[in-house]
Amino acid sequence: MTIKDLTYSEAIEKVMLNNGYFAPLKLIYREIWNYKNRSGIKGKTPDYTIQERVQRDTKFTKIGLGIYALTEFLDKLPQAKAPITKQDKQENRHANIQGMLLEIGNHQKDIFDTYTNDKSWIFENKTLGSLATLNKIPPFTFENIISDSVSFLDVVWFNERRFPQVIFEVEHSTDFRGAFVKFMELQDFQTRFYCIANKSRLSKFKKEIDKVAFLPIKKRVKFLTYEQVESDYYKAIKRDFIKY
């Protein structure tokens, strides 16, 4: 059997092995053709067949919103350290929110790819880098804007043309200005911006976004609480469609 003769299940397994023992469906849809011949496929659409395999084949176990892992290697998935200090707890919540946003993004029909700067952080036994479908930002604009600003964003959702459609920054204790400066770099794109923080920080958010320096993006930046993102994530798991 050549690599192009693999069954769907075997090819899906290859994708997961190459991605740290698990993968989002969106990544499987794209990467499976590295291991399987696409020509001559008839009947059901490939995406439908892939969904059927991961749901019915006991080789695979669902571990998130559209995320599946190799059952045999569940014990090899990364384990986050139990938070001890206040900073540990803050970073843990930060990672969880980013993980939820990546999974929600991967689940959106109009989102083609997802990205995060914090690739080594862990959300429910899944590294954020393996939840994202991109390892680096596509070259959609000037290199200095990508290298100095966009590459450091918490979570980015890209559309099919590989332009940033939605951007999220998790702001636990900063003054929001750093996030706004990054957003300003993308003011000429039709990108939606979100800052996520504790609800107690809403007044600080409003004070900063009202500054003249950020007037070009003021109406395009929204505030979300941690609780709103968490609620949206669990709604999405229950098959409710979430739109940002």
Side-chain angles (χ1 to χ4, degrees):
M1 177 183 291
T2 67
I3 195 168
K4 293 297 184 181
D5 292 325
L6 296 178
T7 66
Y8 273 99
S9 288
E10 290 168 339
I12 291 168
E13 184 176 4
K14 289 282 189 180
V15 175
M16 291 182 179
L17 285 170
N18 192 51
N19 197 59
Y21 306 113
F22 72 92
L25 278 171
K26 192 156 286 185
L27 185 67
I28 298 172
Y29 295 155
R30 186 174 68 218
E31 298 296 321
I32 193 172
W33 309 116
N34 292 331
Y35 310 101
K36 185 171 179 60
N37 192 341
R38 191 168 194 166
S39 63
I41 294 176
K42 299 178 181 179
K44 299 175 182 177
T45 64
D47 289 358
Y48 181 88
T49 303
I50 291 167
Q51 291 177 36
E52 190 177 50
R53 292 295 186 277
V54 296
Q55 291 169 4
R56 296 187 180 185
D57 193 328
T58 57
K59 276 186 180 180
F60 311 116
T61 298
K62 188 173 184 179
I63 60 170
L65 179 58
I67 313 295
Y68 292 85
L70 289 167
T71 306
E72 180 183 358
F73 297 105
L74 288 176
D75 61 332
K76 293 186 179 296
L77 295 179
Q79 300 287 327
K81 295 181 180 179
I84 299 174
T85 66
K86 182 178 180 180
Q87 183 176 349
D88 289 341
K89 292 176 181 178
Q90 291 174 0
E91 289 186 357
N92 186 63
R93 187 126 198 232
H94 195 149
N96 287 348
I97 293 296
Q98 286 183 235
M100 291 177 184
L101 290 169
L102 287 169
E103 291 193 17
I104 293 172
N106 289 335
H107 207 57
Q108 301 284 308
K109 292 181 180 180
D110 61 341
I111 299 300
F112 192 72
D113 271 310
T114 55
Y115 168 86
T116 182
N117 176 53
D118 301 305
K119 296 176 175 58
S120 63
W121 284 9
I122 298 171
F123 166 58
E124 293 186 351
N125 305 118
K126 296 160 286 190
T127 53
L128 300 191
S130 292
L131 277 178
T133 62
L134 291 176
N135 288 322
K136 61 181 181 179
I137 299 291
F140 69 91
T141 188
F142 297 110
E143 174 57 33
N144 66 301
I145 293 178
I146 292 175
S147 61
D148 296 344
S149 296
V150 186
S151 292
F152 295 101
L153 290 164
D154 286 337
V155 173
V156 186
W157 294 355
F158 289 90
N159 62 25
E160 191 168 359
R161 297 181 65 217
R162 297 292 180 87
F163 286 102
Q165 184 162 316
V166 191
I167 289 175
F168 302 90
E169 280 284 272
V170 182
E171 300 291 307
H172 185 81
S173 58
T174 61
D175 58 12
F176 295 102
R177 293 176 201 167
F180 297 161
V181 169
K182 294 175 192 173
F183 296 165
M184 285 288 291
E185 292 279 22
L186 299 173
Q187 62 182 284
D188 299 309
F189 295 89
Q190 295 182 5
T191 307
R192 300 190 296 277
F193 307 110
Y194 289 89
C195 283
I196 301 159
N198 282 317
K199 57 185 177 182
S200 61
R201 307 196 67 234
L202 177 58
S203 60
K204 178 64 175 176
F205 168 86
K206 290 180 176 179
K207 180 180 179 181
E208 294 299 327
I209 199 62
D210 278 341
K211 292 184 175 177
V212 175
F214 304 123
L215 185 60
I217 61 169
K218 177 179 177 179
K219 293 182 179 180
R220 296 165 59 190
V221 184
K222 306 297 181 184
F223 181 91
L224 289 174
T225 67
Y226 292 141
E227 291 78 13
Q228 284 175 294
V229 174
E230 290 163 346
S231 175
D232 286 346
Y233 178 73
Y234 293 114
K235 284 179 182 177
I237 286 179
K238 294 178 181 178
R239 299 181 181 275
D240 288 341
F241 180 73
I242 303 301
K243 181 70 175 178
Y244 283 106

